[in-house]
């Protein structure tokens, strides 16, 4: 007879100790770090990269070193809202003013409101908002949730495949284990054609996080209820709250968050990336939380 696998506290403790050793091993393998690389490579960060590579230290090291090179070149922490604000005018991507039941930051994506043609700027805008979502995570939370509303989406207005591929690459390789779940809400049938191509860019872990949600499906409604307070969830996603994107208000919030980001990364809060930053305004509108 085969014995059932034991999940005793002793076994769980053994796994915890093993993971601690792997985290320390990864940290040591990176060698001495300085500046932003040192600030980036927290214990929680090392753990995310190890989880993304099934706790293989060598593969995790390679992945993390590639990210450190990318961050040194792309400088995502230096992107300012005014540089990408044009991309956000239609509210195609923005941070929601509510969290899910786990306290995760929520990004709302509305691909049907695509308003520009530059892939480089579209990706830069999304990277800015991913960094912003991370900046606004509660202390005990590492991940975000995405709500994707397909209202108005069509193949003619969809982002180019190249943009989708680059987005998937950056999310999976430079923000591992940051995405908890992505809800694709009411995608039209024609989306299946687009999805058949895009899904091949996703690694198995990311693929499992993608949930298709249809408003008329009872299981979909229950799924959304299990993640969100329906009183806070916008009606577009099956909730009861009215959603009205106000670009001017969001711009003010991002200006405040740029100051917060400058402080976090150790920049002079009034001189960020060589551009003067306006002092944080008094509370003209309630901050998005």
């Amino acid at each position: 007879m085969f014995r059932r696998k034991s999940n005793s506290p002793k076994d769980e403790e053994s796994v915890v100790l093993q993971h601690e050793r792997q985290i320390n091993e990864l940290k040591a393998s990176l060698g001495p770090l300085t500046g932003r690389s040192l600030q980036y490579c927290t214990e929680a960060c090392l753990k995310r990269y190890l989880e993304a590579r099934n706790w293989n230290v060598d593969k995790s090291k390679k992945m993390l070193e590639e990210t450190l090179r990318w961050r040194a070149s792309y400088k995502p922490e230096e992107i300012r809202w005014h540089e990408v604000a044009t991309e956000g005018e239609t509210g195609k991507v923005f941070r929601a003013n509510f969290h899910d039941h786990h306290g995760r930051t929520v990004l709302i994506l509305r691909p049907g409101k695509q308003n520009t043609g530059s892939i480089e700027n579209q990706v830069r805008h999304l990277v800015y908002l991913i960094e912003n979502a991370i900046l606004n995570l509660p202390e005990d939370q590492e991940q975000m949730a995405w709500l994707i509303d397909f209202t108005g989406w069509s193949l003619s207005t969809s982002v180019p495949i190249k943009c989708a591929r680059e987005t998937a690459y950056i999310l999976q390789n430079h923000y591992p284990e940051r995405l908890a779940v992505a809800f694709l809400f009411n995608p039209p049938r024609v989306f299946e054609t687009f999805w058949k191509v895009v899904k091949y860019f996703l690694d198995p872990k990311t693929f499992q996080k993608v949930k298709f949600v249809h408003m008329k499906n009872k299981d979909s409604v229950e799924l959304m209820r299990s993640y969100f307070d329906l009183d806070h969830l916008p009606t577009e996603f099956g909730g009861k709250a009215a959603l009205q994107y106000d670009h001017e208000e969001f711009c003010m919030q991002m200006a405040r968050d740029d100051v917060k980001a400058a402080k976090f990364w150790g920049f002079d809060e009034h001189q960020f990336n060589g551009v003067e930053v306006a002092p944080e305004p008094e509370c003209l509108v309630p901050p998005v939380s």
Side-chain angles (χ1 to χ4, degrees):
M1 296 290 292
F2 292 103
R3 289 188 178 181
R4 181 176 287 180
K5 238 181 189 180
S6 172
N7 289 317
S8 69
K10 188 173 181 180
D11 289 335
E12 292 177 4
E13 182 181 354
S14 177
V15 171
V16 170
L17 291 174
Q18 180 183 352
H19 285 176
E20 287 180 357
R21 286 195 295 270
Q22 289 165 311
I23 290 170
N24 290 331
E25 185 181 344
L26 176 57
K27 184 177 181 179
S29 72
L30 293 171
L33 298 173
T34 59
R36 297 181 211 175
S37 293
L38 177 61
Q39 187 174 356
Y40 180 77
C41 293
T42 62
E43 182 172 316
C45 171
L46 300 181
K47 184 179 179 181
R48 286 195 306 274
Y49 280 80
L50 283 162
E51 287 180 345
R53 291 296 179 261
N54 297 314
W55 293 87
N56 182 301
V57 175
D58 290 336
K59 291 181 179 180
S60 302
K61 177 189 177 185
K62 180 180 178 182
M63 184 186 194
L64 181 49
E65 287 178 336
E66 288 175 356
T67 292
L68 293 178
R69 286 192 290 271
W70 174 77
R71 293 188 70 89
S73 173
Y74 200 85
K75 301 185 188 322
E77 71 278 6
E78 291 189 16
I79 302 174
R80 294 287 315 291
W81 174 248
H82 76 267
E83 299 174 54
V84 297
T86 299
E87 293 287 333
E89 287 178 349
T90 59
K92 65 185 178 187
V93 187
F94 62 97
R95 178 164 58 82
N97 63 350
F98 59 90
H99 294 81
D100 72 1
H101 286 321
H102 300 278
R104 301 180 183 117
T105 304
V106 177
L107 284 185
I108 292 178
L109 295 84
R110 302 191 292 187
K113 292 186 176 293
Q114 182 57 258
N115 61 324
T116 65
S118 170
I119 293 176
E120 180 181 352
N121 290 340
Q122 290 167 9
V123 172
R124 193 169 173 82
H125 174 236
L126 182 59
V127 167
Y128 172 90
L129 286 168
I130 290 174
E131 290 280 322
N132 182 267
I134 293 169
L135 181 71
N136 285 282
L137 284 171
E139 287 186 12
D140 60 345
Q141 184 53 258
E142 292 284 310
Q143 295 184 305
M144 72 187 89
W146 287 10
L147 288 172
I148 306 175
D149 173 18
F150 281 88
T151 301
W153 186 92
S154 67
L155 285 175
S156 61
T157 60
S158 66
V159 298
I161 293 295
K162 181 180 179 182
C163 183
R165 183 172 60 239
E166 187 172 350
T167 297
Y169 179 85
I170 289 174
L171 180 65
Q172 294 172 161
N173 290 279
H174 300 317
Y175 296 96
E177 297 302 313
R178 283 300 195 182
L179 179 67
V181 61
F183 295 98
L184 278 60
F185 206 80
N186 281 341
R189 290 194 62 125
V190 70
F191 178 74
E192 293 176 11
T193 303
F194 187 77
W195 179 244
K196 285 178 181 178
V197 178
V198 171
K199 68 181 182 180
Y200 290 109
F201 305 150
L202 305 180
D203 63 35
K205 284 192 173 185
T206 304
F207 184 83
Q208 292 298 320
K209 295 174 181 179
V210 177
K211 311 293 182 184
F212 283 80
V213 177
H214 297 275
M215 206 164 190
K216 295 180 181 180
N217 182 286
K218 183 179 178 182
D219 291 337
S220 291
V221 173
E222 288 304 312
L223 179 65
M224 297 303 287
R225 192 189 301 272
S226 71
Y227 276 87
F228 299 97
D229 182 339
L230 297 187
D231 288 334
H232 297 153
L233 188 68
T235 54
E236 290 88 336
F237 300 102
K240 302 175 182 178
L243 174 64
Q244 184 68 43
Y245 176 74
D246 186 321
H247 187 60
E248 183 177 345
E249 181 177 328
F250 193 69
C251 284
M252 287 192 288
Q253 177 60 52
M254 293 302 98
R256 288 193 290 269
D257 280 1
D258 280 347
V259 175
K260 187 195 302 185
K263 289 179 180 178
F264 178 82
W265 290 105
F267 296 107
D268 183 333
E269 63 186 276
H270 300 304
Q271 184 70 34
F272 184 59
N273 196 23
V275 180
E276 288 293 329
V277 178
E280 183 172 352
E282 295 183 7
C283 196
L284 301 175
V285 292
V288 179
S289 58

